[in-house]
Amino acid sequence: MKIVLVASEAVPYSKTGGLADVCGALPKALKRIGVDIRVILPRYTGMSFRHGDVVSQANGYQIFNDLAVPFAGGVRYATVYEDWLDDTPFYFIDDPEYFARGYIYGSGDFEVERFAFFSRAAIELTKRLGNPPDVIHCNDWQTGLLPAYLETVYRDDPYFAQTATFFSIHNLAYQGVFNPELLPHIGLGADAYQYGLEFYGAANSLKSGLFFSTAISTVSRKYADEIQTQEFGNQLDGLMRWRKGDMLGILNGVDYDEWNPAHDPHTVAHYSPDHMAGKRECKRALLRQYQLPEDLDRPLIGIITRLTTQKGIDLLANAIWRILDTGAMFVLLGSGAQSYEDYFQHVRDSRPKQVGVYFGYNTALAHQIEAGADMYVMPSAYEPCGLNQMYSLKYGTVPIVRGTGGLDDTITNYERATKQGNGFKFYDYSADRLVEKFYEAYLLYDDKEAWAQVQRNGMLADHSWERAAREYLHAYQVTAQTKQ
């Protein structure tokens, strides 16, 4: 199949969150199973390009400087750069007014205008790249207007007659809501607004993608069900229920080339399910990194997160003292609301022999926490997919999670009687339930044979992108047939 994937970010070029991980890893996995995949991104200020195995600040390879994009009542000309990542071409739309601004995302109606232009430019670039694609895969609100353009402005264009659109929701909370007075400026008419974009008197880019796309996906099966409810639907649950027959959940994968304790370059030792001694050395190194006592027999809990209520940080803040009172140690890597940073700094200052904090992001340290911690906590209020619980499974770091979204799909509670399960899971959004699950994990930790079993169960699971890519390929095939 021929697929064009359009997104606002992808590693290693640009990243603010999990969307970039997906859009960097999925194309590689699709290419390995024979898909003709091309990726289109904006070219932001200072973007890195990849040459062989070296990421640099070079300009990539300019292939067009005359991409004509009908927009804003006239024609804008964009430059297009090409770069290659693992035999996959990545194309970058360059328009300095929109993308050379020193940031990836801003706010307001201009933000919608930027990505409306990007979506229109991606359509025009696709026409310059050869034969029509079977499917254009759009991602999140930044590309939500692309299906609307295809169904209105390009409806009679024979080039796209057999091209379907596939729209992935990575996080429904971000929707690209804007003033409908902008619509004529970006080239969409009253019909598109009335039948696809209208949202309580405003216009909604994400709703556009949900309404006009041939098929829809989310990043876990549980999240696909959750967003059809009023609690998780962010005022779009009615539309979700209307389109449920066209929607599926495909769990994200893990790039095991990058996240694998058997050959992780960021850790002091390597290990595997059958040779676990290296994990103990990784724990020792992590304790040293955070200047904590090298007591290898006490459980060490880790978390790598944005400090927001979405991630359940309010639950953790409420539970942390009871957890520490057991003698367990705790390390944090993350950033977010100042109030939460101040709170966990206070926890660290109060219990300096049990708690370590690092505010910010540090790639090497993230790997070291996954390798060195015994347990990993994710008490999220909602979690479309989640990746860290899957990293933790691979590293033999037992997850303690709230059963929402992808956390519910990937983690099963360990049962001593059957020796089945890969972690600990609670459902009520309650600090008490989080503490209870920690106590359950703490008691199992003292049983070294049982603990080794739950670690092994997690490490042997397959959450690779190859598995996910085959699910995407099947979804593309079904979507293309629907269009035909």
Side-chain angles (χ1 to χ4, degrees):
M1 297 195 74
K2 185 173 182 179
I3 307 297
V4 172
L5 187 149
V6 185
S8 58
E9 58 182 85
V11 295
Y13 304 106
S14 51
K15 178 178 177 177
T16 65
L19 170 64
D21 293 314
V22 174
C23 296
L26 176 59
K28 291 194 299 181
L30 288 168
K31 188 73 173 182
R32 285 195 287 265
I33 61 173
V35 176
D36 180 355
I37 176 76
R38 302 166 187 223
V39 182
I40 300 177
L41 301 166
R43 183 173 184 259
Y44 302 109
T45 306
M47 175 173 276
S48 296
F49 286 85
R50 197 172 180 93
H51 299 275
D53 291 325
V54 179
V55 176
S56 71
Q57 295 292 325
N59 288 325
Y61 302 97
Q62 185 181 123
I63 59 171
F64 305 128
N65 62 6
D66 61 346
L67 182 69
V69 184
F71 197 73
V75 176
R76 292 183 70 97
Y77 288 91
T79 301
V80 178
Y81 293 85
E82 181 184 52
D83 199 40
W84 288 78
L85 180 63
D86 296 314
D87 298 323
T88 300
F90 282 68
Y91 300 95
F92 302 88
I93 306 293
D94 185 30
D95 184 306
E97 182 179 346
Y98 287 134
F99 305 119
R101 305 185 72 84
Y103 56 79
I104 294 180
Y105 302 131
S107 61
D109 285 357
F110 182 68
E111 187 73 354
V112 174
E113 181 180 335
R114 295 171 70 218
F115 288 105
F117 171 78
F118 170 65
S119 296
R120 192 79 186 259
I123 293 172
E124 293 296 333
L125 175 57
T126 298
K127 295 177 71 173
R128 295 278 293 266
L129 295 179
N131 294 328
D134 297 297
V135 176
I136 298 178
H137 183 173
C138 305
N139 294 270
D140 271 351
W141 78 260
Q142 292 87 354
T143 56
L145 296 178
L146 193 155
Y149 284 127
L150 288 181
E151 290 297 317
T152 56
V153 179
Y154 294 86
R155 178 182 299 167
D156 299 322
D157 189 327
Y159 179 89
F160 293 110
Q162 300 299 316
T163 297
T165 47
F166 188 86
F167 186 75
S168 288
I169 309 162
H170 299 266
N171 192 330
L172 191 66
Y174 302 98
Q175 299 185 1
V177 177
F178 63 100
N179 190 326
E181 293 180 0
L182 183 64
L183 287 167
H185 180 72
I186 63 177
L188 290 170
D191 284 352
Y193 173 66
Q194 182 177 353
Y195 297 109
L197 281 83
E198 194 280 330
F199 185 72
Y200 301 98
N204 187 316
S205 304
L206 183 76
K207 183 182 177 185
S208 170
L210 298 174
F211 184 88
F212 287 108
S213 293
T214 313
I216 302 166
S217 76
T218 68
V219 290
S220 70
R221 293 179 294 276
K222 181 66 176 288
Y223 193 58
D225 293 334
E226 288 177 339
I227 60 178
Q228 296 177 48
T229 68
Q230 189 172 2
E231 180 182 1
F232 292 98
N234 290 88
Q235 297 182 290
L236 291 171
D237 49 290
L239 177 57
M240 299 295 183
R241 291 190 294 272
W242 181 63
R243 295 223 58 188
K244 66 180 180 181
D246 303 315
M247 182 165 57
L248 69 160
I250 302 176
L251 192 69
N252 285 340
V254 172
D255 186 347
Y256 288 141
D257 291 339
E258 181 179 358
W259 293 92
N260 193 327
H263 52 70
D264 192 326
H266 299 293
T267 60
V268 298
H270 297 150
Y271 58 95
S272 64
D274 295 322
H275 300 89
M276 291 290 289
K279 185 167 179 63
R280 193 169 176 86
E281 294 310 306
C282 291
K283 182 176 181 178
R284 188 192 308 276
L286 183 61
L287 292 170
R288 288 177 180 172
Q289 179 83 352
Y290 277 97
Q291 299 181 335
L292 294 172
E294 292 179 31
D295 186 343
L296 301 183
D297 294 324
R298 279 200 284 170
L300 175 60
I301 307 161
I303 187 170
I304 306 160
T305 187
R306 297 194 311 275
L307 299 176
T308 66
T309 53
Q310 184 216 319
K311 297 298 184 180
I313 299 304
D314 52 328
L315 295 193
L316 183 61
N318 187 291
I320 189 64
W321 300 106
R322 283 175 281 175
I323 290 172
L324 295 175
D325 283 346
T326 67
M329 292 186 283
F330 172 79
V331 294
L332 177 150
L333 167 62
S335 62
Q338 189 64 49
S339 59
Y340 284 133
E341 291 191 13
D342 292 344
Y343 182 85
F344 283 100
Q345 183 63 53
H346 166 67
V347 174
R348 191 267 171 200
D349 293 342
S350 301
R351 302 284 184 99
K353 293 185 178 181
Q354 287 181 269
V355 177
V357 296
Y358 182 110
F359 299 120
Y361 189 74
N362 182 310
T363 297
L365 185 55
H367 284 250
Q368 290 156 12
I369 290 173
E370 290 290 6
D374 298 300
M375 306 170 194
Y376 189 94
V377 62
M378 289 184 75
S380 303
Y382 69 94
E383 194 68 59
C385 176
L387 290 172
N388 277 100
Q389 83 278 16
M390 292 188 277
Y391 300 156
S392 297
L393 292 174
K394 187 66 174 177
Y395 282 73
T397 300
V398 178
I400 303 170
V401 307
R402 179 169 175 265
T404 183
L407 301 178
D408 200 30
D409 285 348
T410 51
I411 305 303
T412 53
N413 211 68
Y414 183 75
E415 300 293 340
R416 284 177 180 266
T418 63
K419 298 183 180 180
Q420 300 297 309
N422 57 12
F424 298 89
K425 180 166 63 177
F426 64 100
Y427 286 97
D428 292 344
Y429 193 72
S430 161
D432 290 342
R433 301 292 86 77
L434 169 58
V435 172
E436 287 171 3
K437 279 298 165 183
F438 167 72
Y439 288 161
E440 191 176 328
Y442 186 86
L443 290 172
L444 192 75
Y445 180 80
D446 286 336
D447 183 338
K448 298 307 180 187
E449 182 178 343
W451 192 256
Q453 183 65 55
V454 69
Q455 288 179 300
R456 184 176 178 81
N457 291 351
M459 295 180 77
L460 293 177
D462 179 16
H463 292 296
S464 66
W465 269 112
E466 283 69 25
R467 182 268 313 155
R470 294 190 182 281
E471 292 189 49
Y472 273 104
L473 176 56
H474 177 71
Y476 293 151
Q477 291 167 338
V478 172
T479 302
Q481 290 169 2
T482 301
K483 180 70 174 182
Q484 295 171 0

